[in-house]
Amino acid sequence: MSETTATSSGSVTGAEIRLENVTKQYAGQKVAAVGDLTLTIPAGEIAMFVGPSGCGKTTSLKMINRLIEPTSGTIMIGGEDSRKRSADELRRTIGYVIQGGSLFPHMTVAKNIALVPKLLGWDDDRIKKRTDELLDLVSLDPSRYRDRYPRELSGGQQQRVGVARGLAADPPVVLMDEPFGAVDPITRQRLQDELLAIQRELRKTIVCVTHDIDEAIKMGDRILILQEGAQVAQYDTPEVVLGSPANEFVEDFVGSGSALKQLSLARVDEVGTFPQTTAKIGESSAEVIQRAQAAGHRSVVVLDERNRPVGWPWLRQLKGEKIVQSEHAPDAIDRRATLNDALDVMLVNGHGGAVVTDAGGAYFGVVDFTSVTDQMRAMQEKAHEVSNG
Amino acid sequence: MADVATAPNAQADARERTGRKRGPKLDAEQLIELFGIPLIVVVGFVAFAIWRNTATLDSVETNALPWNSIWIQLREHVVLTAVGAMITVVIAVPLGIALTRPGLKRAAPVVVGVANAGQAAPAIGLIVLLAIWFGFGFWTAIVALVLYAVLPVLRNTIVGLQAVDPTLVEAGRGIGMSNLMVLRRIELPLALPVIMSGVRTALVLLVGTAALATFINGGGLGGLLNTGITLFRFPVIVAAAVLIALLALLIEWLGQVLELVFRPKGI
């Protein structure tokens, strides 16, 4: 088994957010939309706000960047009262990502991303450099996408640009309102993984509203489960929320199948990967087969010139003289993908395992079914320990 | 006229269906309009010129249709239309913007109602009434024309701004744009196609109504028409009607070109 590599992560660039007795009372409504919410989100963490619709999670989010002004209470960002500056100035230092990306349709991708840097008075060279950098960060080729209009992009691509726009001016705090609600499940999963990879580097403070408990479990360092009136039902790490729900409401909300949900908590990295014999396109098949047999492997992973997996044939399938590109590239998963995603891939590919790639899409190793089930059992035991005190 | 506001959406759908990528590309109907109308106008005018120079007209008719007075009236007509349109836009667009801001939102139906009434009033009556009030002349005619043409621009400005996706407005506010910036950089560009289609409707209304300006000494091709009617000379009546129709077609075409030119890329 290869070394389980420690997560490489950048230094924290986020800022702590503190809500103190924050209340939002709309005129003419008996019950406060948000009643006396007190909460600390540590710098560099992802806090997921979840709850049934109408519980005040979005209102709470929008009070942080003052799109909604609290009726009473204080919100401190990086130790500074958010009312110290004008709302417009404050918002330029807080990233904002909305469902579907909410890109401005009459502006190109580059112009959409450049909006906040422009508002902050950056010069053109710096803006251009930053735009390309961000497009790279969200896995969109700048030369191909910067001059496109939003309607020429797929939903997932639009959402990526939306994330890039939120990060444009390198804000310490990023607010996300159901960021991946409008894309299909597969794209959503990929976007979630990408955002987690980005977050590992940037370590922003991210506050994200979602109605999807699975997304919250997967993405959150902490989960805030809200009841009506933004009453905190539980605010803790996903492990604790799953392992020992604070009350019946949380239990119901988290729902059944918490063992399966815990699959979203562990990542392929933590299970560890095996090295598999690899082969480059164009290599001699005989040599490759020899190498694989020496290592005791029955299949090889075929890589292209950029080390990306493009095939995963059994040895008996290597009939030609040279290694050629397989018809179907294997469904590779990111190192940071959850066990849930890994299991999903394994169940369909017939290898009882999955090819793992690093953030850049280059081959990293192979993860197999047994190690996943072992990990599941270990987690189950741990969860029981937690819930039994 | 209710379809004025929805037309751009229909066009957008059509664009969507043909799977076009970028830039203001056109469907067959638009292409025909865009290139066909100028052709019709040119052919029509050449035919008129040939008829005017070769037809046997009696002395009354010849005196009623001298080239130089045709040119003068044509110019007056164009000036009436253009000045009327400019003032209409200057009044109606800011008013429409104001009526979609939070403070004045509730006044919108009232103002649109008044503007509706203005348009429902018979144009000829409006012109004559105003003449009694302000006196005869060009500017009185302009006031009447503007009253008449304000409604479509006003209504389309309001509808266009209201149709802007509120999440985009919130996105703009959320990333730190001021209200004014959101209006200028997001709401107005996105509403522009709808506003321009209102301007086009206004232009067509103006070019037709400007023919009535002659009754209060405001000039325009109505003079020729009026002469023909008073003298009971059919060739003059038809000539005037044809000229007004050609001009109306040309202005309508211009409105369409403006619509295309002002349509923001990407939508």
Side-chain angles (χ1 to χ4, degrees):
Chain A
M1 198 191 255
S2 78
E3 279 279 312
T4 306
T5 36
T7 320
S8 67
S9 51
S11 53
V12 175
T13 60
E16 183 191 73
I17 304 172
R18 230 165 61 227
L19 286 78
E20 290 165 7
N21 308 104
V22 173
T23 297
K24 179 68 195 181
Q25 174 83 51
Y26 285 106
Q29 281 181 3
K30 278 195 207 126
V31 188
V34 174
D36 200 28
L37 179 64
T38 299
L39 190 73
T40 303
I41 300 161
E45 291 201 357
I46 302 183
M48 302 296 291
F49 288 11
V50 283
S53 48
C55 70
K57 52 189 192 292
T58 300
T59 309
S60 303
L61 182 88
K62 286 181 180 169
M63 283 196 283
I64 297 174
N65 70 357
R66 291 174 61 196
L67 272 176
I68 296 175
E69 294 281 358
T71 316
S72 65
T74 314
I75 295 173
M76 310 281 279
I77 298 172
E80 193 182 274
D81 191 330
S82 68
R83 283 166 302 191
K84 232 174 121 188
R85 284 180 289 177
S86 82
D88 288 340
E89 268 175 69
L90 173 78
R91 290 187 201 125
R92 286 171 205 174
T93 63
I94 298 180
Y96 191 47
V97 181
I98 325 176
Q99 181 170 48
S102 268
L103 303 180
F104 302 123
H106 58 300
M107 298 182 192
T108 60
V109 164
K111 287 223 171 84
N112 264 288
I113 296 174
L115 276 168
V116 181
K118 273 225 171 86
L119 291 174
L120 293 171
W122 293 17
D123 64 58
D124 288 351
D125 278 349
R126 187 173 168 208
I127 290 177
K128 195 180 173 302
K129 239 181 93 194
R130 180 68 180 155
T131 310
D132 286 359
E133 196 180 291
L134 283 161
L135 283 172
D136 266 331
L137 187 70
V138 296
S139 319
L140 292 172
D141 177 6
S143 60
R144 230 177 114 195
Y145 289 101
R146 73 165 85 84
D147 294 323
R148 294 212 183 169
Y149 285 95
R151 58 173 290 203
E152 299 166 56
L153 306 181
S154 70
Q157 289 169 334
Q158 290 187 21
Q159 193 58 69
R160 284 192 173 95
V161 178
V163 171
R165 187 174 69 183
L167 293 170
D170 206 17
V173 171
V174 180
L175 307 182
M176 301 189 165
D177 193 353
E178 303 248 3
F180 309 131
V183 292
D184 62 272
I186 293 169
T187 310
R188 184 181 314 147
Q189 182 191 311
R190 193 169 303 147
L191 289 172
Q192 288 167 344
D193 288 336
E194 283 180 15
L195 182 65
L196 285 172
I198 291 169
Q199 168 67 355
R200 273 203 308 286
E201 293 303 317
L202 302 181
R203 302 285 298 279
K204 303 286 180 196
T205 307
I206 297 178
V207 184
C208 179
V209 162
T210 179
H211 62 265
D212 178 359
I213 184 71
D214 295 308
E215 182 168 79
I217 292 166
K218 178 176 176 183
M219 306 281 293
D221 294 309
R222 276 151 201 277
I223 302 179
L224 173 71
I225 300 177
L226 292 173
Q227 275 169 283
E228 187 134 335
Q231 296 303 311
V232 178
Q234 190 166 15
Y235 179 47
D236 218 318
T237 60
E239 287 83 358
V240 176
V241 169
L242 284 176
S244 55
N247 54 30
E248 219 167 282
F249 175 82
V250 176
E251 222 165 280
D252 283 350
F253 195 76
V254 171
S256 56
S258 73
L260 277 174
K261 285 202 170 72
Q262 296 212 343
L263 281 175
S264 307
L265 288 175
R267 306 192 177 280
V268 173
D269 253 359
E270 294 156 28
V271 176
T273 54
F274 299 99
Q276 183 79 6
T277 308
T278 60
K280 293 269 182 180
I281 291 175
E283 256 187 289
S284 145
S285 295
E287 272 176 40
V288 171
I289 291 172
Q290 213 174 20
R291 215 160 57 214
Q293 279 166 345
H297 294 152
R298 285 159 57 211
S299 59
V300 293
V301 177
V302 178
L303 308 178
D304 69 3
E305 70 281 0
R306 285 172 65 188
N307 270 335
R308 292 174 304 194
V310 291
W312 192 9
W314 297 102
L315 292 186
R316 59 183 146 77
Q317 287 172 311
L318 297 175
K319 295 223 174 79
E321 203 170 297
K322 290 214 156 74
I323 301 286
V324 290
Q325 176 141 11
S326 307
E327 237 171 275
H328 301 290
D331 283 323
I333 49 171
D334 189 90
R335 281 173 60 187
R336 292 290 298 170
T338 64
L339 293 190
N340 205 349
D341 303 338
L343 210 55
D344 204 41
V345 170
M346 288 176 194
L347 286 176
V348 293
N349 71 5
H351 280 273
V355 176
V356 182
T357 59
D358 64 18
Y363 169 78
F364 184 75
V366 167
V367 64
D368 73 351
F369 193 73
T370 331
S371 36
V372 172
T373 46
D374 285 350
Q375 178 78 10
M376 276 168 79
R377 212 162 323 148
M379 281 166 62
Q380 277 284 328
E381 276 159 23
K382 215 172 125 200
H384 280 299
E385 273 166 37
V386 172
S387 54
N388 298 333
Chain B
M1 210 160 329
D3 60 336
V4 171
T6 55
N9 289 337
Q11 283 170 14
D13 289 345
R15 284 204 304 280
E16 203 69 58
R17 272 197 300 278
T18 46
R20 273 193 319 260
K21 282 285 173 185
R22 67 174 67 181
K25 293 196 182 154
L26 313 162
D27 56 36
E29 191 189 332
Q30 283 175 313
L31 276 176
I32 291 169
E33 281 184 315
L34 204 60
F35 295 101
I37 291 178
L39 193 72
I40 294 172
V41 171
V42 169
V43 169
F45 192 76
V46 167
F48 170 79
I50 293 170
W51 170 82
R52 172 65 189 82
N53 288 341
T54 56
T56 42
L57 301 170
D58 63 27
S59 63
V60 177
E61 287 162 355
T62 318
N63 287 335
L65 288 169
W67 271 113
N68 65 335
S69 86
I70 288 175
W71 285 126
I72 289 169
Q73 292 192 5
L74 196 64
R75 208 175 57 219
E76 285 170 350
H77 207 107
V78 170
V79 170
L80 276 168
T81 307
V83 173
M86 269 187 270
I87 296 176
T88 301
V89 169
V90 167
I91 291 173
V93 173
L95 188 62
I97 292 170
L99 289 172
T100 51
R101 299 306 99 186
L104 287 171
K105 229 177 215 166
R106 264 180 272 172
V110 180
V111 178
V112 172
V114 171
N116 242 326
Q119 203 180 31
I124 182 82
L126 194 65
I127 284 183
V128 172
L129 272 177
L130 283 172
I132 295 169
W133 192 5
F134 297 125
F136 283 44
F138 175 80
W139 288 107
T140 308
I142 289 288
V143 172
L145 289 178
V146 169
L147 278 176
Y148 208 57
V150 135
L151 177 71
V153 183
L154 177 67
R155 194 172 48 195
N156 276 33
T157 303
I158 293 173
V159 169
L161 287 171
Q162 281 171 345
V164 173
D165 184 350
T167 62
L168 291 181
V169 175
E170 193 178 88
R173 298 289 287 139
I175 63 171
M177 295 169 99
S178 66
N179 273 322
L180 195 66
M181 280 182 204
V182 171
L183 173 69
R184 215 166 45 85
R185 312 229 355 229
I186 296 163
E187 291 182 85
L188 279 179
L190 291 176
L192 205 54
V194 184
I195 297 175
M196 286 317 293
S197 101
V199 171
R200 182 173 157 195
T201 310
L203 277 171
V204 174
L205 280 176
L206 282 169
V207 77
T209 316
L212 301 175
T214 183
F215 293 117
I216 58 164
N217 220 358
L221 283 168
L224 206 59
L225 196 64
N226 199 25
T227 310
I229 293 169
T230 340
L231 299 175
F232 206 68
R233 284 297 196 277
F234 263 115
V236 182
I237 297 173
V238 172
V242 164
L243 283 174
I244 293 173
L246 288 176
L247 187 61
L249 270 177
L250 197 66
I251 298 277
E252 149 82 11
W253 173 78
L254 191 74
Q256 203 182 17
V257 171
L258 285 177
E259 251 188 271
L260 285 177
V261 169
F262 280 104
R263 186 159 79 204
K265 273 186 170 180
I267 56 173

